mmCIF file of all heavy atoms in Angstrom:
data_model
loop_
_atom_site.group_PDB
_atom_site.id
_atom_site.type_symbol
_atom_site.label_atom_id
_atom_site.label_comp_id
_atom_site.label_asym_id
_atom_site.label_seq_id
_atom_site.Cartn_x
_atom_site.Cartn_y
_atom_site.Cartn_z
ATOM 1 N N ILE L 5 22.508 -6.380 5.492
ATOM 2 C CA ILE L 5 21.222 -6.958 5.570
ATOM 3 C C ILE L 5 20.135 -6.113 6.189
ATOM 4 O O ILE L 5 18.940 -6.210 5.822
ATOM 5 C CB ILE L 5 21.321 -8.390 6.389
ATOM 6 C CG1 ILE L 5 20.043 -9.249 6.202
ATOM 7 C CG2 ILE L 5 21.578 -8.130 7.817
ATOM 8 C CD1 ILE L 5 19.817 -9.663 4.797
ATOM 9 N N VAL L 6 20.474 -5.205 7.124
ATOM 10 C CA VAL L 6 19.460 -4.365 7.816
ATOM 11 C C VAL L 6 18.727 -3.490 6.771
ATOM 12 O O VAL L 6 17.509 -3.547 6.780
ATOM 13 C CB VAL L 6 20.113 -3.595 8.957
ATOM 14 C CG1 VAL L 6 19.090 -2.610 9.542
ATOM 15 C CG2 VAL L 6 20.585 -4.516 10.009
ATOM 16 N N PRO L 7 19.425 -2.724 5.959
ATOM 17 C CA PRO L 7 18.604 -1.878 4.989
ATOM 18 C C PRO L 7 17.792 -2.756 3.980
ATOM 19 O O PRO L 7 16.721 -2.399 3.510
ATOM 20 C CB PRO L 7 19.653 -1.026 4.313
ATOM 21 C CG PRO L 7 20.977 -1.478 4.707
ATOM 22 C CD PRO L 7 20.853 -2.372 5.860
ATOM 23 N N VAL L 8 18.379 -3.934 3.689
ATOM 24 C CA VAL L 8 17.613 -4.858 2.734
ATOM 25 C C VAL L 8 16.326 -5.209 3.409
ATOM 26 O O VAL L 8 15.248 -5.126 2.772
ATOM 27 C CB VAL L 8 18.495 -6.076 2.426
ATOM 28 C CG1 VAL L 8 17.651 -7.112 1.725
ATOM 29 C CG2 VAL L 8 19.677 -5.669 1.595
ATOM 30 N N LEU L 9 16.333 -5.611 4.672
ATOM 31 C CA LEU L 9 15.147 -5.980 5.412
ATOM 32 C C LEU L 9 14.182 -4.812 5.565
ATOM 33 O O LEU L 9 13.003 -4.956 5.258
ATOM 34 C CB LEU L 9 15.503 -6.548 6.776
ATOM 35 C CG LEU L 9 16.190 -7.922 6.812
ATOM 36 C CD1 LEU L 9 16.720 -8.240 8.175
ATOM 37 C CD2 LEU L 9 15.292 -8.996 6.246
ATOM 38 N N VAL L 10 14.708 -3.608 5.964
ATOM 39 C CA VAL L 10 13.857 -2.503 6.201
ATOM 40 C C VAL L 10 13.207 -2.056 4.908
ATOM 41 O O VAL L 10 12.046 -1.815 4.831
ATOM 42 C CB VAL L 10 14.751 -1.346 6.745
ATOM 43 C CG1 VAL L 10 13.912 0.026 6.723
ATOM 44 C CG2 VAL L 10 15.074 -1.667 8.181
ATOM 45 N N PHE L 11 14.020 -2.009 3.772
ATOM 46 C CA PHE L 11 13.492 -1.550 2.493
ATOM 47 C C PHE L 11 12.553 -2.571 1.837
ATOM 48 O O PHE L 11 11.991 -2.329 0.721
ATOM 49 C CB PHE L 11 14.487 -1.001 1.567
ATOM 50 C CG PHE L 11 15.003 0.402 1.992
ATOM 51 C CD1 PHE L 11 16.231 0.450 2.709
ATOM 52 C CD2 PHE L 11 14.274 1.528 1.843
ATOM 53 C CE1 PHE L 11 16.666 1.737 3.121
ATOM 54 C CE2 PHE L 11 14.658 2.734 2.312
ATOM 55 C CZ PHE L 11 15.846 2.877 2.908
ATOM 56 N N ALA L 12 12.501 -3.771 2.362
ATOM 57 C CA ALA L 12 11.584 -4.786 1.874
ATOM 58 C C ALA L 12 10.290 -4.778 2.753
ATOM 59 O O ALA L 12 9.141 -4.833 2.200
ATOM 60 C CB ALA L 12 12.170 -6.164 1.845
ATOM 61 N N ILE L 13 10.482 -4.736 4.031
ATOM 62 C CA ILE L 13 9.319 -4.835 4.957
ATOM 63 C C ILE L 13 8.454 -3.551 4.954
ATOM 64 O O ILE L 13 7.264 -3.641 4.848
ATOM 65 C CB ILE L 13 9.856 -5.080 6.427
ATOM 66 C CG1 ILE L 13 10.437 -6.556 6.472
ATOM 67 C CG2 ILE L 13 8.702 -4.960 7.414
ATOM 68 C CD1 ILE L 13 11.140 -6.806 7.781
ATOM 69 N N VAL L 14 9.055 -2.378 5.033
ATOM 70 C CA VAL L 14 8.298 -1.171 5.162
ATOM 71 C C VAL L 14 7.370 -0.965 3.972
ATOM 72 O O VAL L 14 6.173 -0.714 4.025
ATOM 73 C CB VAL L 14 9.165 0.063 5.480
ATOM 74 C CG1 VAL L 14 8.464 1.331 5.375
ATOM 75 C CG2 VAL L 14 9.818 -0.081 6.867
ATOM 76 N N PRO L 15 7.913 -1.001 2.724
ATOM 77 C CA PRO L 15 7.053 -0.794 1.553
ATOM 78 C C PRO L 15 5.951 -1.944 1.469
ATOM 79 O O PRO L 15 4.870 -1.655 0.997
ATOM 80 C CB PRO L 15 7.945 -0.792 0.325
ATOM 81 C CG PRO L 15 9.301 -0.579 0.868
ATOM 82 C CD PRO L 15 9.297 -1.116 2.235
ATOM 83 N N SER L 16 6.330 -3.155 1.855
ATOM 84 C CA SER L 16 5.364 -4.188 1.886
ATOM 85 C C SER L 16 4.225 -3.936 2.738
ATOM 86 O O SER L 16 3.004 -4.107 2.385
ATOM 87 C CB SER L 16 6.012 -5.500 2.339
ATOM 88 O OG SER L 16 7.048 -5.931 1.453
ATOM 89 N N LEU L 17 4.422 -3.499 3.964
ATOM 90 C CA LEU L 17 3.361 -3.194 4.888
ATOM 91 C C LEU L 17 2.591 -1.977 4.477
ATOM 92 O O LEU L 17 1.360 -1.868 4.652
ATOM 93 C CB LEU L 17 3.931 -3.076 6.314
ATOM 94 C CG LEU L 17 4.576 -4.344 6.858
ATOM 95 C CD1 LEU L 17 5.123 -4.054 8.262
ATOM 96 C CD2 LEU L 17 3.601 -5.466 6.920
ATOM 97 N N ALA L 18 3.309 -0.970 3.972
ATOM 98 C CA ALA L 18 2.620 0.182 3.397
ATOM 99 C C ALA L 18 1.664 -0.102 2.261
ATOM 100 O O ALA L 18 0.524 0.366 2.113
ATOM 101 C CB ALA L 18 3.633 1.274 2.903
ATOM 102 N N GLY L 19 2.136 -1.052 1.341
ATOM 103 C CA GLY L 19 1.268 -1.494 0.258
ATOM 104 C C GLY L 19 0.061 -2.256 0.726
ATOM 105 O O GLY L 19 -1.072 -2.071 0.260
ATOM 106 N N TRP L 20 0.236 -3.087 1.781
ATOM 107 C CA TRP L 20 -0.846 -3.766 2.372
ATOM 108 C C TRP L 20 -1.900 -2.815 2.987
ATOM 109 O O TRP L 20 -3.058 -2.961 2.791
ATOM 110 C CB TRP L 20 -0.272 -4.726 3.431
ATOM 111 C CG TRP L 20 -1.283 -5.660 4.085
ATOM 112 C CD1 TRP L 20 -2.631 -5.656 4.106
ATOM 113 C CD2 TRP L 20 -0.943 -6.854 4.812
ATOM 114 N NE1 TRP L 20 -3.195 -6.707 4.722
ATOM 115 C CE2 TRP L 20 -2.211 -7.449 5.204
ATOM 116 C CE3 TRP L 20 0.205 -7.483 5.199
ATOM 117 C CZ2 TRP L 20 -2.246 -8.610 5.971
ATOM 118 C CZ3 TRP L 20 0.170 -8.586 5.944
ATOM 119 C CH2 TRP L 20 -1.031 -9.165 6.363
ATOM 120 N N ALA L 21 -1.370 -1.811 3.735
ATOM 121 C CA ALA L 21 -2.262 -0.777 4.332
ATOM 122 C C ALA L 21 -3.035 -0.067 3.264
ATOM 123 O O ALA L 21 -4.294 0.187 3.419
ATOM 124 C CB ALA L 21 -1.423 0.100 5.205
ATOM 125 N N LEU L 22 -2.385 0.371 2.212
ATOM 126 C CA LEU L 22 -3.062 1.076 1.123
ATOM 127 C C LEU L 22 -4.158 0.189 0.443
ATOM 128 O O LEU L 22 -5.225 0.674 0.255
ATOM 129 C CB LEU L 22 -2.087 1.518 0.052
ATOM 130 C CG LEU L 22 -2.677 2.115 -1.244
ATOM 131 C CD1 LEU L 22 -3.433 3.401 -0.856
ATOM 132 C CD2 LEU L 22 -1.591 2.459 -2.283
ATOM 133 N N LEU L 23 -3.822 -1.098 0.203
ATOM 134 C CA LEU L 23 -4.813 -1.970 -0.395
ATOM 135 C C LEU L 23 -6.000 -2.127 0.564
ATOM 136 O O LEU L 23 -7.167 -2.123 0.097
ATOM 137 C CB LEU L 23 -4.202 -3.345 -0.714
ATOM 138 C CG LEU L 23 -5.136 -4.369 -1.373
ATOM 139 C CD1 LEU L 23 -5.815 -3.812 -2.534
ATOM 140 C CD2 LEU L 23 -4.364 -5.695 -1.672
ATOM 141 N N ALA L 24 -5.778 -2.336 1.869
ATOM 142 C CA ALA L 24 -6.857 -2.467 2.799
ATOM 143 C C ALA L 24 -7.763 -1.200 2.841
ATOM 144 O O ALA L 24 -8.977 -1.307 2.858
ATOM 145 C CB ALA L 24 -6.262 -2.769 4.204
ATOM 146 N N ALA L 25 -7.110 -0.067 2.829
ATOM 147 C CA ALA L 25 -7.854 1.210 2.817
ATOM 148 C C ALA L 25 -8.655 1.347 1.492
ATOM 149 O O ALA L 25 -9.858 1.753 1.556
ATOM 150 C CB ALA L 25 -6.852 2.366 2.960
ATOM 151 N N LEU L 26 -8.035 1.029 0.417
ATOM 152 C CA LEU L 26 -8.826 1.073 -0.851
ATOM 153 C C LEU L 26 -10.009 0.107 -0.881
ATOM 154 O O LEU L 26 -11.092 0.471 -1.385
ATOM 155 C CB LEU L 26 -7.868 0.827 -2.049
ATOM 156 C CG LEU L 26 -6.916 1.863 -2.426
ATOM 157 C CD1 LEU L 26 -5.860 1.351 -3.371
ATOM 158 C CD2 LEU L 26 -7.624 3.109 -2.965
ATOM 159 N N GLU L 27 -9.823 -1.063 -0.349
ATOM 160 C CA GLU L 27 -10.923 -2.040 -0.253
ATOM 161 C C GLU L 27 -11.987 -1.467 0.580
ATOM 162 O O GLU L 27 -13.230 -1.860 0.368
ATOM 163 C CB GLU L 27 -10.365 -3.400 0.254
ATOM 164 C CG GLU L 27 -9.610 -4.105 -0.823
ATOM 165 C CD GLU L 27 -8.992 -5.433 -0.265
ATOM 166 O OE1 GLU L 27 -8.795 -5.551 0.951
ATOM 167 O OE2 GLU L 27 -8.750 -6.335 -1.112
ATOM 168 N N ARG L 28 -11.690 -0.754 1.583
ATOM 169 C CA ARG L 28 -12.743 -0.247 2.536
ATOM 170 C C ARG L 28 -13.472 0.939 1.909
ATOM 171 O O ARG L 28 -14.666 1.099 2.080
ATOM 172 C CB ARG L 28 -12.066 0.142 3.866
ATOM 173 C CG ARG L 28 -13.125 0.666 4.813
ATOM 174 C CD ARG L 28 -12.542 0.838 6.149
ATOM 175 N NE ARG L 28 -13.626 1.271 7.015
ATOM 176 C CZ ARG L 28 -13.685 1.043 8.249
ATOM 177 N NH1 ARG L 28 -12.753 0.369 8.851
ATOM 178 N NH2 ARG L 28 -14.713 1.472 9.013
ATOM 179 N N PHE L 29 -12.688 1.835 1.311
ATOM 180 C CA PHE L 29 -13.299 3.089 0.795
ATOM 181 C C PHE L 29 -13.533 3.218 -0.645
ATOM 182 O O PHE L 29 -14.296 4.114 -1.120
ATOM 183 C CB PHE L 29 -12.436 4.328 1.253
ATOM 184 C CG PHE L 29 -12.299 4.407 2.782
ATOM 185 C CD1 PHE L 29 -11.089 4.068 3.379
ATOM 186 C CD2 PHE L 29 -13.386 4.719 3.557
ATOM 187 C CE1 PHE L 29 -10.948 4.128 4.747
ATOM 188 C CE2 PHE L 29 -13.223 4.754 4.996
ATOM 189 C CZ PHE L 29 -12.028 4.508 5.566
ATOM 190 N N ALA L 30 -12.966 2.283 -1.450
ATOM 191 C CA ALA L 30 -13.222 2.287 -2.905
ATOM 192 C C ALA L 30 -13.203 0.887 -3.429
ATOM 193 O O ALA L 30 -12.472 0.514 -4.287
ATOM 194 C CB ALA L 30 -12.068 3.101 -3.630
ATOM 195 N N ALA L 31 -14.023 0.076 -2.810
ATOM 196 C CA ALA L 31 -14.055 -1.323 -3.051
ATOM 197 C C ALA L 31 -14.190 -1.763 -4.487
ATOM 198 O O ALA L 31 -13.416 -2.707 -4.894
ATOM 199 C CB ALA L 31 -15.152 -2.001 -2.216
ATOM 200 N N ALA L 32 -14.932 -1.110 -5.259
ATOM 201 C CA ALA L 32 -15.182 -1.548 -6.598
ATOM 202 C C ALA L 32 -13.923 -1.404 -7.506
ATOM 203 O O ALA L 32 -13.755 -2.145 -8.407
ATOM 204 C CB ALA L 32 -16.309 -0.711 -7.233
ATOM 205 N N ARG L 33 -13.019 -0.422 -7.132
ATOM 206 C CA ARG L 33 -11.830 -0.222 -7.947
ATOM 207 C C ARG L 33 -10.510 -0.503 -7.220
ATOM 208 O O ARG L 33 -9.485 -0.104 -7.652
ATOM 209 C CB ARG L 33 -11.893 1.170 -8.505
ATOM 210 C CG ARG L 33 -13.198 1.493 -9.250
ATOM 211 C CD ARG L 33 -13.083 2.791 -9.968
ATOM 212 N NE ARG L 33 -12.104 2.878 -10.976
ATOM 213 C CZ ARG L 33 -12.255 2.548 -12.219
ATOM 214 N NH1 ARG L 33 -13.422 2.194 -12.658
ATOM 215 N NH2 ARG L 33 -11.290 2.657 -13.126
ATOM 216 N N ALA L 34 -10.630 -1.087 -6.048
ATOM 217 C CA ALA L 34 -9.453 -1.289 -5.135
ATOM 218 C C ALA L 34 -8.297 -2.015 -5.827
ATOM 219 O O ALA L 34 -7.165 -1.504 -5.843
ATOM 220 C CB ALA L 34 -9.851 -1.998 -3.895
ATOM 221 N N ARG L 35 -8.622 -3.045 -6.488
ATOM 222 C CA ARG L 35 -7.557 -3.874 -7.155
ATOM 223 C C ARG L 35 -6.901 -3.076 -8.325
ATOM 224 O O ARG L 35 -5.650 -3.053 -8.325
ATOM 225 C CB ARG L 35 -8.104 -5.177 -7.712
ATOM 226 C CG ARG L 35 -7.132 -5.883 -8.548
ATOM 227 C CD ARG L 35 -7.681 -7.184 -9.181
ATOM 228 N NE ARG L 35 -7.676 -8.198 -8.167
ATOM 229 C CZ ARG L 35 -8.728 -8.950 -7.833
ATOM 230 N NH1 ARG L 35 -9.879 -8.800 -8.457
ATOM 231 N NH2 ARG L 35 -8.601 -9.884 -6.899
ATOM 232 N N THR L 36 -7.742 -2.370 -9.085
ATOM 233 C CA THR L 36 -7.132 -1.634 -10.214
ATOM 234 C C THR L 36 -6.266 -0.462 -9.737
ATOM 235 O O THR L 36 -5.151 -0.263 -10.190
ATOM 236 C CB THR L 36 -8.269 -1.157 -11.114
ATOM 237 O OG1 THR L 36 -9.010 -2.275 -11.558
ATOM 238 C CG2 THR L 36 -7.733 -0.359 -12.304
ATOM 239 N N VAL L 37 -6.850 0.304 -8.797
ATOM 240 C CA VAL L 37 -6.142 1.473 -8.317
ATOM 241 C C VAL L 37 -4.836 1.043 -7.628
ATOM 242 O O VAL L 37 -3.717 1.644 -7.766
ATOM 243 C CB VAL L 37 -7.021 2.330 -7.345
ATOM 244 C CG1 VAL L 37 -6.230 3.359 -6.646
ATOM 245 C CG2 VAL L 37 -8.135 2.870 -8.115
ATOM 246 N N TRP L 38 -4.930 0.022 -6.760
ATOM 247 C CA TRP L 38 -3.752 -0.406 -6.005
ATOM 248 C C TRP L 38 -2.688 -0.873 -6.992
ATOM 249 O O TRP L 38 -1.528 -0.566 -6.830
ATOM 250 C CB TRP L 38 -4.084 -1.575 -5.081
ATOM 251 C CG TRP L 38 -2.854 -1.902 -4.217
ATOM 252 C CD1 TRP L 38 -2.515 -1.320 -3.108
ATOM 253 C CD2 TRP L 38 -1.877 -2.880 -4.597
ATOM 254 N NE1 TRP L 38 -1.296 -1.883 -2.684
ATOM 255 C CE2 TRP L 38 -0.886 -2.751 -3.599
ATOM 256 C CE3 TRP L 38 -1.653 -3.736 -5.608
ATOM 257 C CZ2 TRP L 38 0.256 -3.596 -3.595
ATOM 258 C CZ3 TRP L 38 -0.533 -4.573 -5.695
ATOM 259 C CH2 TRP L 38 0.329 -4.469 -4.650
ATOM 260 N N THR L 39 -3.068 -1.699 -8.025
ATOM 261 C CA THR L 39 -2.081 -2.136 -8.974
ATOM 262 C C THR L 39 -1.356 -1.038 -9.712
ATOM 263 O O THR L 39 -0.156 -1.035 -9.880
ATOM 264 C CB THR L 39 -2.735 -3.094 -9.999
ATOM 265 O OG1 THR L 39 -3.354 -4.176 -9.269
ATOM 266 C CG2 THR L 39 -1.738 -3.702 -10.973
ATOM 267 N N VAL L 40 -2.105 0.027 -10.105
ATOM 268 C CA VAL L 40 -1.489 1.153 -10.824
ATOM 269 C C VAL L 40 -0.554 1.808 -9.872
ATOM 270 O O VAL L 40 0.554 2.250 -10.257
ATOM 271 C CB VAL L 40 -2.591 2.119 -11.313
ATOM 272 C CG1 VAL L 40 -2.038 3.410 -11.845
ATOM 273 C CG2 VAL L 40 -3.387 1.405 -12.482
#
């Protein structure tokens, strides 16, 4: 269960951080860039 939790939580939080950064610095294309 430990690696399952780690490999679900860490990429989730990294994705959230990337989306927040994109919304701050490239707001017009944040959704598209993040999805790609």
Side-chain angles (χ1 to χ4, degrees):
I5 193 66
V6 174
V8 170
L9 291 171
V10 169
F11 285 104
I13 293 170
V14 171
S16 297
L17 296 178
W20 187 343
L22 175 61
L23 179 56
L26 286 168
E27 287 176 333
R28 181 170 182 153
F29 299 110
R33 303 191 63 93
R35 174 183 278 128
T36 303
V37 171
W38 186 87
T39 303
V40 168

